Amino acid sequence: MGEEKKTPFIPDFFRQIRSTFVPEWLKAVKPATAPSVSPSRGQALLVKGGHCVIPHKGIFPLDVKIQGTKIDSIGENLSDPHALTVEVRGNYVIPGVIDPHVHLGIFTDFDTEIVTETRSALLNGVTTLGLYLGGEDSYLGKLDEIIAKIEKRSFCDVFIHLVILSRRQLEEVPVYYSRYGITSFKTYMCGIPGLIPEVEDDFLLDLMEKVSSLGPSAILNIHAENYRIVQRATEKLKKAEPLSESLAEWERSHPAFAEAEAIQRAAFLSKETGVRIYFVHVSSGKGIQSARDLKQKNKNLFFETSSPYLTLNLEQDLDLLYKMVPPIRSREDQKALWDGLADDTVDTIGSDHTPMSSGQKKASVNLWDVPPGYPAVGTHLPSLLDRAAGNGLPLARLIEKMSASPAKIFGLYPWKGTLLPGSDADLVIVDPNLKKEATPQTAASRSDYCLHQGRMLRGWPVAVIKSGQWLTPDSLERARDSFRAKYLRRI
Ligand SMILES: [Zn+2]
């Protein structure tokens, strides 16, 4: 009786990848630092028994071996007697989430938030952040210092999007690109009163031409709403209800068709200039329908929605802590966003995290004077894990939108955004059945409140591996000095 030969389970696509995947440029990437805490220096980390979510491929029962800051190999029954082995049986192993949309240093200083908010992100499964920097002055005098602060103090790896507000910045775009490896720039077709001015179409066109001239890696991120339509609606409503405290009123001040119109206009101008456009935080059914139509004809258009729009709607009893731009909309709008994810109209999910305390938020009880902005990176992954299945989006597809897709659009793939040999060892262990209440403590931001506060959410990260380091809330501070976050140059 011959012994049945046991063939290790390795998916077919994976065998090909094993021998051909690692591109030359990736082999040349040196780890930023060698690990010195769990695992000890030079020791491999073996994550066994998890269900690995590999974007675009599926979910597979595979072990992951990590050496230094990189994934060394993935396969069935991996063993290494010298490795630090961790059993995660029953849990999912997902690529570290990339939140492509966060703002830091707006309502409190950057030096504080680069610590507190990246901690909030990392403890909740977000290992890489797309950070927006703004202001009207040249960035040339500031970027070295900001990048140094990121590399010294951040818990997450960070890439930068620059908001382009002035002519001087516009002229300097090629320098930001070549000197700092920044490939994404942002403009606001509709500004935020008191914070950010809107742009007219002449400036928009000049910026599109400038970004397009940098080549196919460059992309223009656009906040798309028609400023005049929003202004018209706001003035009418404000006059009628000057002391309103209603989020429904706020929603009416930013009509969905203002979003749809701006998307269509920007897309039209993209055809004229050849620029790639990434529309941030699309919030409405009308916006999604425009996106769906336009994507048929233009491969240069990408669309993001935000976790609050996917998980909150006006039927819930929400107060002014939930005032945001664009506004939280109806249940029907929310359904359209989930449908947009399912049919690939929507490419990515950001959080638009802009940390504020409840005191900063409630400095006024008048709807019109409450500043927009909210902390969200700490509830980004749990709130979406909680809601995805109920909205018909399988876990593997959700994770694709939260990791691989932003990595591809912003030039980080396959270095980030997937689980493959050679990729950075940023992994999150997710317990799909863990029920826990969302609290400011779980969110771990500087904010004293969080979205979904007091709600039980099902599906939480239980551990995070960042740059090969196994981290839990308890070990994070101890691990502080053992790994350095990276600033991610993209060219
Ligand atoms: Zn934003």
Side-chain angles (χ1 to χ4, degrees):
M1 302 291 279
E3 226 182 77
E4 199 181 308
K5 204 174 169 208
K6 195 164 175 258
T7 315
F9 169 75
I10 297 178
D12 277 348
F13 79 86
F14 206 81
R15 292 178 203 280
Q16 295 157 15
I17 286 167
R18 193 70 189 93
S19 55
T20 60
F21 165 67
V22 185
E24 285 307 312
W25 66 267
L26 193 53
K27 284 182 191 160
V29 173
K30 292 264 187 304
T33 51
S36 58
V37 173
S38 98
S40 58
R41 202 177 188 85
Q43 189 184 21
L45 174 64
L46 196 51
V47 181
K48 285 188 74 73
H51 303 290
C52 291
V53 180
I54 303 182
H56 306 294
K57 299 298 180 186
I59 301 178
F60 305 95
L62 296 169
D63 302 336
V64 183
K65 183 177 171 186
I66 293 163
Q67 190 76 55
T69 60
K70 300 280 178 191
I71 294 176
D72 173 82
S73 48
I74 303 183
E76 196 183 53
N77 297 327
L78 294 184
S79 67
D80 178 344
H82 305 295
L84 178 74
T85 301
V86 187
E87 283 285 348
V88 296
R89 198 166 296 281
N91 289 335
Y92 290 102
V93 180
I94 68 170
V97 170
I98 298 172
D99 182 347
H101 194 154
V102 302
H103 303 265
L104 301 179
I106 307 268
F107 293 101
T108 293
D109 62 289
F110 182 83
D111 293 31
T112 300
E113 292 191 343
I114 192 66
V115 179
T116 60
E117 306 315 299
T118 59
R119 179 189 63 204
S120 168
L122 191 63
L123 288 177
N124 288 286
V126 177
T127 54
T128 297
L129 298 175
L131 170 67
Y132 284 92
L133 296 181
E136 295 199 29
D137 300 335
S138 167
Y139 293 108
L140 290 180
K142 304 177 195 162
L143 277 167
D144 285 323
E145 193 186 336
I146 288 171
I147 290 168
K149 285 176 181 171
I150 290 168
E151 298 206 317
K152 185 154 185 258
R153 310 192 68 189
S154 175
F155 285 108
C156 297
D157 291 346
V158 174
F159 61 103
I160 290 175
H161 314 284
L162 290 180
V163 179
I164 302 300
L165 294 170
S166 67
R167 283 278 157 194
R168 168 140 190 218
Q169 291 171 340
L170 193 149
E171 293 310 318
E172 289 176 351
V173 159
V175 187
Y176 304 145
Y177 176 82
S178 57
R179 192 177 297 174
Y180 295 99
I182 294 171
T183 59
S184 46
F185 303 90
K186 185 183 187 186
T187 188
Y188 292 74
M189 293 171 83
C190 185
I192 297 180
L195 280 177
I196 297 153
E198 66 285 349
V199 301
E200 299 295 341
D201 287 350
D202 54 350
F203 187 92
L204 182 61
L205 266 172
D206 288 342
L207 182 55
M208 284 180 168
E209 283 176 359
K210 189 67 88 179
V211 172
S212 176
S213 74
L214 300 174
S217 65
I219 193 159
L220 182 60
N221 303 356
I222 296 184
H223 175 142
E225 286 183 287
N226 180 308
Y227 168 64
R228 298 282 178 193
I229 295 174
V230 169
Q231 198 185 32
R232 171 179 176 271
T234 305
E235 279 173 8
K236 270 189 196 172
L237 292 162
K238 214 169 163 176
K239 212 168 166 188
E241 291 280 352
L243 299 174
S244 175
E245 294 178 34
S246 154
L247 282 185
E249 195 90 335
W250 179 243
E251 198 272 339
R252 286 192 284 277
S253 72
H254 288 248
F257 71 91
E259 182 173 78
E261 190 279 340
I263 288 171
Q264 292 180 34
R265 181 157 36 103
F268 183 83
L269 298 177
S270 146
K271 280 277 190 196
E272 296 297 317
T273 56
V275 74
R276 294 167 76 226
I277 299 181
Y278 177 86
F279 290 94
V280 297
H281 57 47
V282 178
S283 63
S284 68
K286 285 182 180 165
I288 291 294
Q289 192 49 53
S290 293
R292 186 174 288 122
D293 296 344
L294 291 159
K295 264 193 149 175
Q296 310 284 330
K297 292 173 257 167
N298 188 342
K299 298 295 168 216
N300 279 339
L301 307 178
F302 303 89
F303 294 85
E304 171 195 274
T305 190
S306 309
S307 42
Y309 305 130
L310 290 164
T311 55
L312 299 164
N313 66 60
L314 286 175
E315 286 179 28
Q316 291 162 279
D317 184 24
L318 304 173
D319 66 9
L320 293 180
L321 288 177
Y322 289 80
K323 175 179 165 180
M324 54 186 74
V325 182
I328 292 169
R329 299 191 191 273
S330 69
R331 188 188 281 273
E332 292 70 43
D333 285 297
Q334 192 175 68
K335 181 168 184 321
L337 299 177
W338 284 104
D339 291 346
L341 284 167
D343 72 7
D344 281 335
T345 300
V346 177
D347 298 283
T348 70
I349 311 172
S351 72
D352 207 353
H353 179 77
T354 310
M356 297 178 75
S357 65
S358 57
Q360 287 174 314
K361 194 81 184 174
K362 287 188 165 167
S364 169
V365 290
N366 167 359
L367 165 70
W368 309 108
D369 294 339
V370 170
Y374 53 86
V377 76
T379 45
H380 185 58
L381 177 61
S383 68
L384 291 167
L385 288 170
D386 180 69
R387 298 296 294 277
N391 284 283
L393 194 72
L395 178 72
R397 298 272 291 131
L398 175 71
I399 299 309
E400 178 191 314
K401 301 287 180 187
M402 299 182 79
S403 57
S405 185
K408 286 180 178 176
I409 292 168
F410 292 114
L412 302 169
Y413 189 87
W415 175 23
K416 300 281 188 194
T418 190
L419 300 180
L420 291 175
S423 298
D424 276 3
D426 297 345
L427 294 75
V428 182
I429 316 300
V430 166
D431 180 344
N433 295 313
L434 178 62
K435 282 190 183 171
K436 207 163 73 173
E437 186 182 336
T439 66
Q441 290 70 40
T442 63
S445 154
R446 80 162 180 89
S447 298
D448 58 350
Y449 76 102
C450 69
L451 301 189
H452 308 281
Q453 188 159 326
R455 264 189 57 204
M456 295 297 283
L457 302 178
R458 182 175 171 167
W460 285 84
V462 290
V464 176
I465 299 169
K466 175 75 194 77
S467 304
Q469 299 285 307
W470 178 272
L471 300 170
T472 61
D474 294 338
S475 69
L476 185 65
E477 285 305 326
R478 270 181 283 126
R480 187 71 191 89
D481 297 324
S482 65
F483 72 93
R484 286 272 174 268
K486 292 191 287 281
Y487 164 66
L488 306 173
R489 279 186 66 98
R490 290 175 282 152
I491 56 156

